[in-house]
PDB file of all heavy atoms in Angstrom:
ATOM      1  N   TYR A  50      53.483  18.005 240.585  1.00  0.00           N
ATOM      2  CA  TYR A  50      53.160  16.807 241.357  1.00  0.00           C
ATOM      3  C   TYR A  50      52.181  15.930 240.581  1.00  0.00           C
ATOM      4  O   TYR A  50      52.346  14.717 240.496  1.00  0.00           O
ATOM      5  CB  TYR A  50      52.576  17.207 242.717  1.00  0.00           C
ATOM      6  CG  TYR A  50      52.276  16.046 243.620  1.00  0.00           C
ATOM      7  CD1 TYR A  50      53.288  15.453 244.369  1.00  0.00           C
ATOM      8  CD2 TYR A  50      50.992  15.538 243.730  1.00  0.00           C
ATOM      9  CE1 TYR A  50      53.022  14.375 245.201  1.00  0.00           C
ATOM     10  CE2 TYR A  50      50.710  14.463 244.554  1.00  0.00           C
ATOM     11  CZ  TYR A  50      51.727  13.883 245.285  1.00  0.00           C
ATOM     12  OH  TYR A  50      51.456  12.816 246.103  1.00  0.00           O
ATOM     13  N   PHE A  51      51.155  16.566 240.001  1.00  0.00           N
ATOM     14  CA  PHE A  51      50.145  15.841 239.230  1.00  0.00           C
ATOM     15  C   PHE A  51      50.778  15.150 238.028  1.00  0.00           C
ATOM     16  O   PHE A  51      50.590  13.949 237.826  1.00  0.00           O
ATOM     17  CB  PHE A  51      49.054  16.820 238.782  1.00  0.00           C
ATOM     18  CG  PHE A  51      47.926  16.177 238.033  1.00  0.00           C
ATOM     19  CD1 PHE A  51      46.898  15.544 238.713  1.00  0.00           C
ATOM     20  CD2 PHE A  51      47.872  16.229 236.653  1.00  0.00           C
ATOM     21  CE1 PHE A  51      45.846  14.961 238.028  1.00  0.00           C
ATOM     22  CE2 PHE A  51      46.826  15.647 235.954  1.00  0.00           C
ATOM     23  CZ  PHE A  51      45.814  15.019 236.649  1.00  0.00           C
ATOM     24  N   THR A  52      51.534  15.886 237.209  1.00  0.00           N
ATOM     25  CA  THR A  52      52.109  15.290 236.005  1.00  0.00           C
ATOM     26  C   THR A  52      53.123  14.193 236.325  1.00  0.00           C
ATOM     27  O   THR A  52      53.258  13.237 235.571  1.00  0.00           O
ATOM     28  CB  THR A  52      52.768  16.357 235.098  1.00  0.00           C
ATOM     29  OG1 THR A  52      53.812  17.014 235.817  1.00  0.00           O
ATOM     30  CG2 THR A  52      51.750  17.375 234.628  1.00  0.00           C
ATOM     31  N   ASN A  53      53.819  14.314 237.437  1.00  0.00           N
ATOM     32  CA  ASN A  53      54.786  13.284 237.812  1.00  0.00           C
ATOM     33  C   ASN A  53      54.142  12.029 238.378  1.00  0.00           C
ATOM     34  O   ASN A  53      54.737  10.958 238.329  1.00  0.00           O
ATOM     35  CB  ASN A  53      55.788  13.835 238.828  1.00  0.00           C
ATOM     36  CG  ASN A  53      56.797  14.772 238.200  1.00  0.00           C
ATOM     37  OD1 ASN A  53      57.030  14.748 236.994  1.00  0.00           O
ATOM     38  ND2 ASN A  53      57.389  15.624 239.011  1.00  0.00           N
ATOM     39  N   ASN A  54      52.940  12.146 238.937  1.00  0.00           N
ATOM     40  CA  ASN A  54      52.340  11.009 239.638  1.00  0.00           C
ATOM     41  C   ASN A  54      51.147  10.380 238.946  1.00  0.00           C
ATOM     42  O   ASN A  54      50.745   9.283 239.305  1.00  0.00           O
ATOM     43  CB  ASN A  54      51.943  11.435 241.054  1.00  0.00           C
ATOM     44  CG  ASN A  54      53.155  11.662 241.914  1.00  0.00           C
ATOM     45  OD1 ASN A  54      53.805  10.723 242.347  1.00  0.00           O
ATOM     46  ND2 ASN A  54      53.506  12.916 242.133  1.00  0.00           N
ATOM     47  N   VAL A  55      50.581  11.054 237.965  1.00  0.00           N
ATOM     48  CA  VAL A  55      49.447  10.468 237.256  1.00  0.00           C
ATOM     49  C   VAL A  55      49.983   9.510 236.192  1.00  0.00           C
ATOM     50  O   VAL A  55      50.994   9.780 235.551  1.00  0.00           O
ATOM     51  CB  VAL A  55      48.539  11.581 236.663  1.00  0.00           C
ATOM     52  CG1 VAL A  55      49.170  12.232 235.459  1.00  0.00           C
ATOM     53  CG2 VAL A  55      47.168  11.065 236.354  1.00  0.00           C
ATOM     54  N   ASN A  56      49.328   8.355 236.049  1.00  0.00           N
ATOM     55  CA  ASN A  56      49.800   7.305 235.145  1.00  0.00           C
ATOM     56  C   ASN A  56      48.908   7.261 233.903  1.00  0.00           C
ATOM     57  O   ASN A  56      48.058   6.391 233.757  1.00  0.00           O
ATOM     58  CB  ASN A  56      49.794   5.962 235.871  1.00  0.00           C
ATOM     59  CG  ASN A  56      50.334   4.840 235.001  1.00  0.00           C
ATOM     60  OD1 ASN A  56      50.943   5.081 233.963  1.00  0.00           O
ATOM     61  ND2 ASN A  56      50.096   3.614 235.412  1.00  0.00           N
ATOM     62  N   VAL A  57      49.095   8.235 233.031  1.00  0.00           N
ATOM     63  CA  VAL A  57      48.397   8.274 231.746  1.00  0.00           C
ATOM     64  C   VAL A  57      49.402   8.705 230.684  1.00  0.00           C
ATOM     65  O   VAL A  57      50.488   9.179 230.998  1.00  0.00           O
ATOM     66  CB  VAL A  57      47.194   9.245 231.751  1.00  0.00           C
ATOM     67  CG1 VAL A  57      46.158   8.821 232.772  1.00  0.00           C
ATOM     68  CG2 VAL A  57      47.631  10.666 232.001  1.00  0.00           C
ATOM     69  N   GLY A  58      49.007   8.597 229.441  1.00  0.00           N
ATOM     70  CA  GLY A  58      49.924   8.932 228.364  1.00  0.00           C
ATOM     71  C   GLY A  58      49.896  10.382 227.940  1.00  0.00           C
ATOM     72  O   GLY A  58      50.877  10.887 227.414  1.00  0.00           O
ATOM     73  N   GLN A  59      48.767  11.063 228.130  1.00  0.00           N
ATOM     74  CA  GLN A  59      48.642  12.451 227.701  1.00  0.00           C
ATOM     75  C   GLN A  59      48.087  13.273 228.850  1.00  0.00           C
ATOM     76  O   GLN A  59      47.046  12.939 229.410  1.00  0.00           O
ATOM     77  CB  GLN A  59      47.699  12.553 226.504  1.00  0.00           C
ATOM     78  CG  GLN A  59      48.195  11.764 225.300  1.00  0.00           C
ATOM     79  CD  GLN A  59      47.197  11.769 224.179  1.00  0.00           C
ATOM     80  OE1 GLN A  59      47.329  12.563 223.254  1.00  0.00           O
ATOM     81  NE2 GLN A  59      46.210  10.904 224.256  1.00  0.00           N
ATOM     82  N   VAL A  60      48.796  14.323 229.218  1.00  0.00           N
ATOM     83  CA  VAL A  60      48.391  15.163 230.344  1.00  0.00           C
ATOM     84  C   VAL A  60      48.273  16.602 229.864  1.00  0.00           C
ATOM     85  O   VAL A  60      49.176  17.113 229.218  1.00  0.00           O
ATOM     86  CB  VAL A  60      49.416  15.099 231.501  1.00  0.00           C
ATOM     87  CG1 VAL A  60      48.966  15.954 232.676  1.00  0.00           C
ATOM     88  CG2 VAL A  60      49.646  13.666 231.935  1.00  0.00           C
ATOM     89  N   GLY A  61      47.184  17.250 230.217  1.00  0.00           N
ATOM     90  CA  GLY A  61      47.030  18.670 229.952  1.00  0.00           C
ATOM     91  C   GLY A  61      47.105  19.436 231.260  1.00  0.00           C
ATOM     92  O   GLY A  61      46.500  19.032 232.249  1.00  0.00           O
ATOM     93  N   VAL A  62      47.872  20.521 231.291  1.00  0.00           N
ATOM     94  CA  VAL A  62      47.917  21.419 232.445  1.00  0.00           C
ATOM     95  C   VAL A  62      47.381  22.759 231.958  1.00  0.00           C
ATOM     96  O   VAL A  62      48.002  23.409 231.116  1.00  0.00           O
ATOM     97  CB  VAL A  62      49.334  21.570 233.019  1.00  0.00           C
ATOM     98  CG1 VAL A  62      49.348  22.575 234.163  1.00  0.00           C
ATOM     99  CG2 VAL A  62      49.870  20.221 233.485  1.00  0.00           C
ATOM    100  N   ASN A  63      46.237  23.128 232.458  1.00  0.00           N
ATOM    101  CA  ASN A  63      45.544  24.355 232.056  1.00  0.00           C
ATOM    102  C   ASN A  63      45.179  24.372 230.578  1.00  0.00           C
ATOM    103  O   ASN A  63      44.936  25.422 230.008  1.00  0.00           O
ATOM    104  CB  ASN A  63      46.343  25.599 232.437  1.00  0.00           C
ATOM    105  CG  ASN A  63      46.513  25.710 233.936  1.00  0.00           C
ATOM    106  OD1 ASN A  63      45.663  25.263 234.701  1.00  0.00           O
ATOM    107  ND2 ASN A  63      47.604  26.288 234.362  1.00  0.00           N
ATOM    108  N   VAL A  64      45.184  23.228 229.951  1.00  0.00           N
ATOM    109  CA  VAL A  64      44.702  23.027 228.584  1.00  0.00           C
ATOM    110  C   VAL A  64      44.043  21.651 228.531  1.00  0.00           C
ATOM    111  O   VAL A  64      44.371  20.779 229.331  1.00  0.00           O
ATOM    112  CB  VAL A  64      45.827  23.083 227.528  1.00  0.00           C
ATOM    113  CG1 VAL A  64      46.469  24.458 227.471  1.00  0.00           C
ATOM    114  CG2 VAL A  64      46.870  22.023 227.769  1.00  0.00           C
ATOM    115  N   PRO A  65      43.136  21.447 227.583  1.00  0.00           N
ATOM    116  CA  PRO A  65      42.584  20.090 227.442  1.00  0.00           C
ATOM    117  C   PRO A  65      43.679  19.104 227.052  1.00  0.00           C
ATOM    118  O   PRO A  65      44.804  19.492 226.744  1.00  0.00           O
ATOM    119  CB  PRO A  65      41.558  20.245 226.318  1.00  0.00           C
ATOM    120  CG  PRO A  65      41.301  21.693 226.213  1.00  0.00           C
ATOM    121  CD  PRO A  65      42.543  22.400 226.684  1.00  0.00           C
TER     122      PRO A  65
END
Side-chain angles (χ1 to χ4, degrees):
Y50 183 81
F51 183 82
T52 60
N53 286 339
N54 290 285
V55 74
N56 183 14
V57 298
Q59 299 175 98
V60 181
V62 177
N63 297 330
V64 296

